[in-house]
Amino acid sequence: MSLSPARVFAALNAVLPPDQASPVLGKAVVLGGSIAGLLAARVLSDYAETVVIIDRDDLEVTGERPGVPQGTQLHALLPGGLLQFERLFPGFREQALAQGAIEAPPPARRNYLDGRLKVIVPDDADSLAASRPLLEGLIRQQVLRLPNVKTVTARATGLVFDGAITTGVRYDVGGAPGVESGDLLVDAMGRSSRLSDWLEQAGWDRPVTRRMTVHLNYATALFRRPEATPASTVVLALHTPKMSLDVAGAAFFAIEDGRWMAMMAGYGDNRPGRTAEDFVRRLREQFPPEFGEVAGNEMLGDVQTYRHSDSRRRDFHALKRFPAGLVSVGDAVASFNPVYGQGMTAAALHAACLSMYLRSGPDLNVPARRYLALQKVVVDAAWSTSTSADLALPHVDGPYPRGYRFSSWASRQIVTATVTDVATARRFNQVVSMREHPLSLATPRVILGALRANRRTR
């Protein structure tokens, strides 16, 4: 099923919850209480009489979840993600601000490329700066208070099939087995999802898993923030490979409880910022002055490190045989280099795909091909954005897509032009914030505009 990427993105960014609940299924079961799982449950609450979320963590407990080892790291909520959150949870922005999130309008976001400050796009969309636990906690509160959503604290162990239809999930609670039946099963078990194994064990085909090894190492630290309302709330600084530095980039956000959250990243054997001393020194010496000012504050706690070995995607859409009553969302389908901050926004767009699919009143006794086709457009967009940048890294050796030499040249021209040219930066920001498909950059008008802008600044 071939869909126009531009039209799909336009439709997803305009999709709204139904005015009135119109159930098309009895029970939906979501495997995993991740952000992707919670967003899927929110959508399903409009279309199912009952929604059950199964997760090993007790979702009623607030704060950081043991099942999210990366939860202590810096997370970005792109403008495209905030748009989707606001549509699923009207008033989300104001509620997040009330809990301590910080506004991040265009003038408060500063972006550096190889030490050069990029132009501000005045009419760009607003975003928010906050820790992942705050954002995830707010989503969880909103979802779990829905009257038709309930949770089961258990470990999913397999699926139940009736012929070609998925009818339930097996789970384990402290050694006691159980089964939760459902008309639609949603895999939100993240990068470590076992769905492929379960399909293969039941005689179905296993989806091809594509990987791009990046060996990203990143570290996050918290600092006291004396300013209640800082002029800059989100600051990013990226080093391209031509800089030949062992640190790929850094960022800091103003977050709740009077804190700065700062992140530093490197690739391969480079692990910058593993100690407090190294973290502070690099912020002061290798980045613009704002980073040194943040590092001059008291560090709160220890540096938290994390390693991301590869980006990966499971191509469920390409399977010729796929059971009915089953879909996947979020990192269970595709997870990307976290440097680009696409995770939460991609999960929100997967939820929008699910809403569009269910709104059409589908036959749940046949495979969800329409949903898979919509989701593929989102996955392709995020995958092309992250992997095209990763392929420029010296230690990444492919696989290179068709036409890579030209596309990489065009990308370099566009990225360079975003430093000085507002028009190019505006279109680029639309794409990286996942409000437009990357193909909107691959036009003669955008490329020629970037070339003209770069000639003016030589």
Side-chain angles (χ1 to χ4, degrees):
M1 184 181 296
S2 179
L3 301 174
S4 162
R7 290 181 180 178
V8 169
F9 260 70
L12 292 176
N13 281 294
V15 68
L16 294 170
D19 294 331
Q20 294 182 335
S22 51
V24 296
L25 60 149
K27 185 196 294 182
V29 182
V30 180
L31 309 182
S34 62
I35 288 179
L38 292 168
L39 296 176
R42 166 62 189 89
V43 167
L44 289 164
S45 71
D46 289 328
Y47 299 96
E49 295 174 0
T50 305
V51 181
V52 179
I53 307 173
I54 298 177
D55 194 278
R56 288 181 295 181
D57 295 333
D58 184 352
L59 298 180
E60 302 290 345
V61 176
T62 59
E64 295 177 10
R65 289 196 300 116
V68 188
Q70 75 276 28
T72 58
Q73 302 296 321
L74 185 147
H75 283 68
L77 176 59
L78 302 177
L82 179 58
L83 172 67
Q84 296 295 335
F85 285 9
E86 188 68 34
R87 286 176 171 168
L88 287 172
F89 311 104
F92 181 90
R93 175 180 170 277
E94 293 303 322
Q95 293 171 37
L97 292 172
Q99 293 191 17
I102 309 296
E103 290 187 288
R109 302 198 297 263
R110 292 170 70 82
N111 199 329
Y112 291 87
L113 180 67
D114 289 339
R116 300 172 65 197
L117 180 62
K118 288 188 174 187
V119 294
I120 293 173
V121 181
D123 56 346
D124 211 349
D126 291 349
S127 191
L128 290 175
S131 70
R132 171 169 176 152
L134 185 150
L135 295 171
E136 184 173 357
L138 181 55
I139 293 170
R140 191 184 308 131
Q141 292 168 22
Q142 300 267 16
V143 171
L144 297 190
R145 70 166 58 119
L146 295 169
N148 60 339
V149 174
K150 71 174 188 175
T151 64
V152 174
T153 304
R155 180 175 64 90
T157 59
L159 298 178
V160 178
F161 296 93
D162 181 1
I165 301 175
T166 313
T167 60
V169 57
R170 296 187 178 90
Y171 62 83
D172 181 277
V173 182
V179 173
E180 189 74 51
S181 61
D183 302 302
L184 180 65
L185 281 293
V186 179
D187 169 25
M189 294 184 289
R191 280 171 60 89
S192 60
S193 169
R194 289 159 289 157
L195 178 61
S196 297
D197 296 333
W198 295 345
L199 288 172
E200 190 173 47
Q201 291 165 7
W204 296 92
D205 294 333
R206 184 186 190 92
V208 170
T209 299
R210 287 191 261 171
R211 286 183 168 87
M212 178 168 288
T213 301
V214 293
H215 292 312
L216 172 71
N217 310 296
Y218 57 109
T220 295
L222 297 169
F223 295 87
R224 193 175 304 283
R225 173 169 53 84
E227 311 96 328
T229 55
S232 298
T233 55
V234 171
V235 181
L236 300 93
L238 177 68
H239 292 155
T240 61
K242 72 178 182 180
M243 296 290 285
S244 300
L245 296 174
D246 60 354
V247 55
F252 65 83
F253 291 5
I255 66 167
E256 68 275 10
D257 300 327
R259 298 174 295 172
W260 292 111
M261 178 175 275
M263 179 274 289
M264 191 176 300
Y267 290 100
D269 295 329
N270 299 320
R271 302 191 178 192
R274 297 177 72 184
T275 66
E277 294 76 14
D278 185 54
F279 200 101
V280 169
R281 178 185 64 81
R282 289 176 181 275
L283 287 183
R284 286 174 169 166
E285 296 178 0
Q286 296 183 301
F287 293 96
E290 298 102 311
F291 288 82
E293 293 171 8
V294 166
N297 295 296
E298 176 191 2
M299 184 180 287
L300 305 174
D302 299 324
V303 176
Q304 302 292 325
T305 60
Y306 191 74
R307 182 171 176 82
H308 176 89
S309 60
D310 58 22
S311 299
R312 64 182 66 168
R313 61 181 292 180
R314 298 176 173 100
D315 288 339
F316 291 104
H317 68 274
L319 290 173
K320 293 182 179 179
R321 296 178 60 250
F322 192 71
L326 179 66
V327 298
S328 288
V329 294
D331 286 356
V333 179
S335 64
F336 317 96
N337 185 334
V339 161
Y340 310 113
Q342 299 170 306
M344 289 190 287
T345 301
L349 287 170
H350 290 190
C353 292
L354 186 59
S355 181
M356 287 183 64
Y357 167 69
L358 292 172
R359 187 188 297 260
S360 66
D363 181 356
L364 297 177
N365 292 316
V366 299
R369 297 290 181 189
R370 172 70 178 176
Y371 168 79
L372 295 175
L374 291 168
Q375 186 183 60
K376 177 182 181 296
V377 174
V378 174
V379 172
D380 285 348
W383 184 262
S384 66
T385 298
S386 64
T387 59
S388 64
D390 288 339
L391 284 170
L393 299 171
H395 69 287
V396 177
D397 57 0
Y400 296 94
R402 187 176 180 181
Y404 173 73
R405 291 184 65 180
F406 174 78
S407 64
S408 63
W409 170 84
S411 294
R412 288 194 301 273
Q413 298 301 319
I414 291 169
V415 170
T416 300
T418 62
V419 176
T420 59
D421 185 63
V422 172
T424 305
R426 178 183 292 111
R427 179 53 60 86
F428 181 80
N429 290 351
Q430 287 281 100
V431 169
V432 298
S433 66
M434 301 192 74
R435 288 172 290 160
E436 288 188 9
H437 193 276
L439 287 176
S440 66
L441 290 175
T443 66
R445 180 177 180 180
V446 172
I447 296 171
L448 289 173
L451 288 171
R452 286 193 293 268
N454 292 337
R455 281 199 298 266
R456 289 195 298 267
T457 57
R458 283 176 183 169

